[in-house]
Amino acid sequence: TIIGIIVLMVGLGTGLVLVQFRNILFNLKASPDQEPKEVKVTNISDKSFTVSWITDRETVGFVTFGESQNSLNKNAPDTDDSAKSTHSITVVSLRPSTDYYFKINSAGILKDNNGIPWKAKTGPTLTTSSNSQIVAGSITTATGQPVPNALIYLNISGASTVSTKSSQNGSWVIPLSRLRTSDLLGYPALTNK
């Protein structure tokens, strides 16, 4: 009888601990101000693409990716591992014309696209673009103060989207040699206008 009571007490104690542990495990999620928002894939080439997003609160983040939805076994870290609200990470060393799946780790919590990973496909290998043009500018506040780390997106009709971030003094540069056609199979014909 005494052994039975001891086993019952140990079992009850273990059960309570497991229930508490399960509640902790299933409540792991980023707070709403750490959730990745406005996730975009840009700068697609044969060997890389860029993932950018914003968060309402400054967080540290990185991208976890792979060639299968069930095998996201590689990480692409942020080159600047400080907490911020604008994030831009380039995933490199990829294979041409290949589907990649990814999730975003925001503040230590892995986030996906409503239950499934996001998807990006690299383009085929092309000859080097001969376009040496650039688009450049600077971003300032209404009072003339520079805006550092702002996400800049360049959308041109018939071309894939490219992006960059502004520097500490608010300036930014995008080489047009990074542009590909929307289908990623060539370079768009650009004219000086």
Side-chain angles (χ1 to χ4, degrees), residues 14 22 28 47 79 83-84 90-91 103 110 131 137-138 191:
T14 303
R22 184 196 62 150
L28 283 179
K47 296 179 182 169
T79 55
K84 57 185 128 338
T90 300
V91 182
K103 293 182 181 182
L110 208 55
N131 191 336
S138 63
T191 57

Side-chain angles (χ1 to χ4, degrees), residues 160-187:
S160 60
T161 303
V162 291
S163 67
T164 192
K165 286 179 81 171
S166 61
S167 66
Q168 291 302 311
N169 66 2
S171 63
W172 57 271
V173 175
I174 295 177
L176 295 184
S177 60
R178 290 176 24 195
L179 284 176
R180 285 187 176 218
T181 54
S182 297
D183 60 10
L184 306 174
L185 298 177
Y187 296 111

Side-chain angles (χ1 to χ4, degrees), residues 113-125:
N113 186 18
N114 296 318
I116 59 172
W118 284 277
K119 181 180 175 184
K121 183 174 184 172
T122 54
T125 301

Side-chain angles (χ1 to χ4, degrees), residues 78-174:
D78 195 334
T79 55
D80 170 16
D81 61 357
S82 64
K84 57 185 128 338
S85 57
T86 56
H87 306 265
S88 180
I89 296 176
T90 300
V91 182
V92 297
S93 301
L94 305 178
R95 295 186 313 137
S97 302
T98 304
D99 289 328
Y100 287 92
Y101 300 87
F102 66 91
K103 293 182 181 182
I104 295 171
N105 188 303
S106 181
I109 307 299
L110 208 55
K111 302 304 297 178
D112 58 27
N113 186 18
N114 296 318
I116 59 172
W118 284 277
K119 181 180 175 184
K121 183 174 184 172
T122 54
T125 301
L126 303 176
T127 59
T128 304
S129 172
S130 60
N131 191 336
S132 61
Q133 297 172 302
I134 62 167
V135 178
S138 63
I139 298 181
T140 59
T141 64
T143 60
Q145 297 300 310
V147 179
N149 300 315
L151 292 169
I152 292 87
Y153 299 98
L154 177 62
N155 294 304
I156 296 176
S157 179
S160 60
T161 303
V162 291
S163 67
T164 192
K165 286 179 81 171
S166 61
S167 66
Q168 291 302 311
N169 66 2
S171 63
W172 57 271
V173 175
I174 295 177

Side-chain angles (χ1 to χ4, degrees), residues 8-104:
L8 183 62
M9 300 273 290
V10 169
L12 182 61
T14 303
L16 288 173
V17 168
L18 289 176
V19 167
Q20 290 295 340
F21 183 69
R22 184 196 62 150
N23 288 339
I24 291 170
L25 272 181
F26 289 109
N27 286 326
L28 283 179
K29 56 184 175 181
S31 67
D33 57 356
Q34 297 171 319
E35 291 282 331
K37 297 177 182 163
E38 299 183 34
V39 177
K40 296 185 188 334
V41 176
T42 58
N43 304 334
I44 301 171
S45 74
D46 58 334
K47 296 179 182 169
S48 65
F49 60 83
T50 300
V51 179
S52 60
W53 70 94
I54 61 171
T55 50
D56 292 334
R57 186 170 75 175
E58 292 187 345
T59 62
V60 175
F62 62 89
V63 173
T64 297
F65 69 98
E67 292 183 31
S68 163
Q69 291 187 48
N70 301 319
S71 181
L72 306 180
N73 54 5
K74 298 177 184 170
N75 292 327
D78 195 334
T79 55
D80 170 16
D81 61 357
S82 64
K84 57 185 128 338
S85 57
T86 56
H87 306 265
S88 180
I89 296 176
T90 300
V91 182
V92 297
S93 301
L94 305 178
R95 295 186 313 137
S97 302
T98 304
D99 289 328
Y100 287 92
Y101 300 87
F102 66 91
K103 293 182 181 182
I104 295 171

